[in-house]
Amino acid sequence: MDEYNRFVDWDKMDVTVQSQDAKELTCTEFQELKQLARQGYWAKNHSLRAKVYHKLISSIPCRTVTPDANVYRDIVVKIVGKRNSSCLPLPEFVDNSLVPTYCLNAEGIGAVRKIILCIANQFPDISFCPALPSVIALLLHYSKDEAECFEQVCRILACNDPSKRLIDQTFLAFESSCMTFGDLVNKYCQAAHKLMVAVSEDVLEVYSDWQRWLFGELPMVYIARVFDVFLVEGYKVLYRVALALLKFFHKVRAGQPMESDSIQQDVRAFVRDIAKSVSPERLLEKAFAIRLFSRKEIQLLQMANEKALQQKGITVKQKRQNVHLAVHAENFKSEIVSVKEMRDIWSWIPERFALCQPLLLFTTLEHGCSLSRFYSHSEGHEPTLLLIKTTAKEVCGAYLSTDWSERRRGGNKLSFFGTGECFVFRLQPEVERYEWVIIKHPELATTGSEPENHALLASSTLSSDSVPSDPSDRLSPFLSARHFNLPSKTASMFMAGSSECIIIGGGDGQALYLDADLNHGRTSHCNTFNNQPLCSESFQISVLEVWGFRD
């Protein structure tokens, strides 16, 4: 253990890592490594963890010219000189991030800044990397000297395997990851998301902290366990753990008053003090119990978010779009929902569209109850938001991801289309957002059939029934096929439209059916999860509105 203790303050370190017998790691198979990492096989032996980190990082495919330990020895004196390392200014790309000390001694704390400056010298293309100080500080615990730590970090930064994403190095990548995390929270942590919306003026700002929770606030023993798995499985692990942190925060703090004036500060404090309520093993257990989408599907969502940011010119750091700014009180007028209710809906939609403002496209009060006029005003807009108020004062609606013009592919027949980002919701009498499901057996849903035939629905979970078996044909449930030139035949179907009716497959067994005159509607509810129905089984429409998204 002596060769890896140069930068460690053992008075701060978990004592169990000093007493465990040395072990060896001989396996090379991914699945076995994955299991061992998750089980914490090398977590209880400092020297073994150091050797495993070196082995895993050495296997990362890198650019041909990647700075190594010798480069560090050549440049460190020239860059740092005789300045006190603890006072060295950090480059802008770390964005005033926390520089965690973890269990480092004084020499280790100073070494973090020296290594950051040398990396800035060797990687001029890095423009935004707030996780870097934490990664360096962590790896210093398991390095023989500064040069070895520098080389390991460089290999992580220089990874050139397109399928192996590791650390965000630009603001575009970082911001899109925050948006992707927000999308995942919206799907997998709905109770926590509801709390965030209720107590935060800018929920997006809260979610932009997700990497800071991991690389800054988490105590040493926790982030080390996360990093064990991260080096084996990659970036997706970070999303898992951040989602688990949010779930535990909601479980522990739900119903309690806020400890500060900011939910953002409360979450940070909870993560810092997580040892009071959750063990590292329990945190990872919760993280891996989440049935997260595949790497391919998350990558597609990340690409879509990056594209949305690029289209709006958001590629360098600036203030995030506030949800309250997206729905301007003075410019918004609806006969169905209030500004507050529209902001609640805005918190549910995909992050890349939350950057936009609502634009009224169609209302039965002005355009009449004509399905053809509904189509003519809605076509050319993607996505759209459908709002319905019934004569019984029930309010429900749907977020529709795909342009209604797609219905024409089926000619005069009822044509099914859409993506897994579609969802239905209820605002009155109670607020409820229903997860998406796939409409199955579209051949049964003819225009003359009973609504029961239109509502054959599948569970919203990603099971073998909801995606094609051939991995090469799998499509993200979030995104349209044409966005990525993927085979359209594999696209899931959530919307349907013809000249005689509209059908929207909602969530948890909910389906919405509207007649051609837009005066009458029906719902179907399978009681799969015992949820309350979207609205009355049969209802009269008082007002119907369609909203688009304006840049």
Side-chain angles (χ1 to χ4, degrees):
M1 185 165 59
D2 290 345
E3 60 183 339
Y4 297 110
N5 72 353
R6 175 175 173 179
F7 304 109
V8 179
D9 182 341
W10 286 102
D11 291 334
K12 300 177 183 177
M13 201 74 167
D14 182 2
V15 294
T16 60
V17 304
Q18 305 178 50
S19 58
Q20 296 292 317
D21 293 333
K23 296 182 286 187
E24 295 297 329
L25 184 71
T26 57
C27 74
T28 56
E29 293 296 324
F30 173 75
Q31 287 300 328
E32 189 176 355
L33 274 174
K34 178 177 170 180
Q35 280 301 113
L36 292 175
R38 292 188 180 190
Q39 293 167 3
Y41 179 81
W42 51 82
K44 295 298 183 181
N45 185 280
H46 189 81
S47 179
L48 178 62
R49 178 180 261 160
K51 292 174 182 177
V52 171
Y53 279 7
H54 185 272
K55 179 178 180 179
L56 293 174
I57 294 173
S58 296
S59 68
I60 294 174
C62 296
R63 300 195 287 253
T64 304
V65 181
T66 298
D68 59 13
N70 290 327
V71 170
Y72 182 82
R73 297 184 185 101
D74 290 341
I75 66 174
V76 64
V77 175
K78 180 176 67 175
I79 293 173
V80 177
K82 297 182 178 180
R83 290 179 292 174
N84 184 340
S85 58
S86 63
C87 300
L88 292 172
L90 296 177
E92 288 187 7
F93 66 66
V94 300
D95 190 42
N96 297 317
S97 299
L98 296 176
V99 181
T101 58
Y102 295 134
C103 301
L104 293 174
N105 56 26
E107 183 183 4
I109 293 170
V112 174
R113 290 178 175 266
K114 292 165 64 177
I115 295 171
I116 291 174
L117 288 178
C118 289
I119 285 175
N121 174 269
Q122 293 295 301
F123 290 83
D125 52 334
I126 296 180
S127 59
F128 198 80
C129 192
L132 187 61
S134 173
V135 172
I136 293 173
L138 177 64
L139 287 175
L140 268 173
H141 292 76
Y142 305 99
S143 300
K144 297 177 182 177
D145 54 31
E146 294 173 13
E148 182 179 88
C149 180
F150 170 84
E151 179 174 325
Q152 292 193 19
V153 176
C154 286
R155 290 194 65 83
I156 292 173
L157 293 171
C159 174
N160 61 359
D161 182 348
S163 66
K164 194 178 183 69
R165 181 180 179 186
L166 293 176
I167 297 179
D168 296 328
Q169 299 174 45
T170 67
F171 182 74
L172 181 62
F174 172 83
E175 188 76 349
S176 63
S177 76
C178 294
M179 294 169 68
T180 301
F181 179 69
D183 288 326
L184 296 174
V185 172
N186 207 351
K187 175 162 181 62
Y188 294 102
C189 304
Q190 292 186 24
H193 181 66
K194 190 174 182 179
L195 172 65
M196 297 299 153
V197 171
V199 300
S200 173
E201 288 191 359
D202 187 358
V203 68
L204 305 183
E205 194 68 33
V206 177
Y207 296 154
S208 72
D209 250 9
W210 80 278
Q211 288 196 27
R212 176 178 173 142
W213 302 341
L214 305 174
F215 297 111
E217 305 292 0
L218 265 185
M220 167 72 184
V221 65
Y222 290 78
I223 186 57
R225 285 296 307 275
V226 173
F227 208 74
D228 291 346
V229 189
F230 167 72
L231 286 178
V232 177
E233 299 187 41
Y235 200 89
K236 184 178 173 181
V237 170
L238 305 182
Y239 283 133
R240 284 189 177 279
V241 176
L243 290 170
L245 287 170
L246 206 55
K247 282 179 176 286
F248 278 121
F249 173 81
H250 176 262
K251 180 179 180 180
V252 173
R253 296 289 177 84
Q256 299 181 14
M258 290 176 57
E259 296 185 355
S260 70
D261 295 332
S262 164
I263 188 68
Q264 190 174 30
Q265 295 299 328
D266 275 14
V267 177
R268 290 177 182 177
F270 171 79
V271 176
R272 278 197 301 273
D273 298 330
I274 193 170
K276 295 178 181 178
S277 52
V278 182
S279 68
E281 292 75 22
R282 183 74 184 96
L283 177 63
L284 289 179
E285 181 183 334
K286 172 71 79 173
F288 291 111
I290 301 171
R291 292 193 64 187
L292 208 58
F293 291 132
S294 70
R295 287 181 180 82
K296 172 79 174 292
E297 290 159 343
I298 292 176
Q299 183 183 18
L300 291 178
L301 182 56
Q302 182 98 12
M303 289 167 57
N305 285 331
E306 284 193 10
K307 183 178 179 182
L309 288 168
Q310 287 173 322
Q311 289 175 340
K312 294 183 180 299
I314 304 175
T315 57
V316 295
K317 188 183 179 187
Q318 52 186 265
K319 180 173 173 56
R320 288 176 66 87
Q321 175 69 54
N322 190 310
V323 172
H324 284 235
L325 297 178
V327 183
H328 296 295
E330 62 274 15
N331 297 329
F332 177 77
K333 181 171 172 44
S334 167
E335 299 299 325
I336 300 178
V337 298
S338 65
V339 172
K340 180 186 180 305
E341 288 172 324
M342 193 58 141
R343 286 171 177 165
D344 287 342
I345 297 170
W346 232 244
S347 74
W348 297 334
I349 65 176
E351 293 271 11
R352 62 190 184 279
F353 297 117
L355 300 168
C356 304
Q357 296 179 33
L359 173 67
L360 184 62
L361 303 176
F362 174 85
T363 170
T364 51
L365 295 180
E366 179 182 345
H367 302 106
C369 300
S370 165
L371 187 55
S372 62
R373 281 197 289 274
F374 169 95
Y375 287 139
S376 65
H377 284 270
S378 302
E379 286 176 5
H381 295 272
E382 181 181 288
T384 54
L385 192 68
L386 175 69
L387 298 176
I388 298 171
K389 185 175 184 178
T390 72
T391 53
K393 300 192 181 306
E394 299 166 308
V395 175
C396 63
Y399 171 81
L400 305 169
S401 64
T402 307
D403 193 330
W404 278 105
S405 62
E406 290 288 302
R407 78 187 193 286
R408 294 177 178 167
R409 291 185 303 169
N412 294 326
K413 296 180 180 180
L414 191 64
S415 177
F416 289 80
F417 51 97
T419 75
E421 283 185 319
C422 294
F423 62 86
V424 293
F425 56 87
R426 182 186 67 201
L427 295 178
Q428 297 290 344
E430 296 177 358
V431 177
E432 185 76 48
R433 176 182 180 270
Y434 299 92
E435 277 301 301
W436 60 264
V437 297
I438 298 172
I439 301 175
K440 301 192 81 175
H441 309 299
E443 69 278 2
L444 300 179
T446 60
T447 57
S449 64
E450 291 297 315
E452 287 78 10
N453 285 340
H454 293 301
L456 295 170
L457 303 167
S459 166
S460 63
T461 55
L462 272 180
S463 65
S464 58
D465 294 329
S466 62
V467 291
S469 57
D470 182 358
S472 65
D473 286 337
R474 289 185 62 179
L475 174 69
S476 166
F478 284 110
L479 305 167
S480 298
R482 65 181 178 281
H483 290 164
F484 301 99
N485 298 318
L486 295 174
S488 60
K489 67 180 181 180
T490 66
S492 302
M493 297 170 288
F494 303 87
M495 305 160 55
S498 70
S499 59
E500 298 181 30
C501 68
I502 286 174
I503 304 171
I504 298 164
D508 294 343
Q510 304 285 349
L512 184 65
Y513 176 94
L514 303 180
D515 291 337
D517 59 10
L518 296 184
N519 279 320
H520 182 257
R522 295 185 288 277
T523 61
S524 176
H525 179 56
C526 298
N527 293 315
T528 309
F529 297 104
N530 234 4
N531 284 319
Q532 294 296 316
L534 188 62
C535 59
S536 302
E537 186 174 344
S538 180
F539 58 87
Q540 296 292 324
I541 297 174
S542 173
V543 186
L544 183 149
E545 295 175 349
V546 179
W547 291 80
F549 294 74
R550 179 178 61 201
D551 291 340

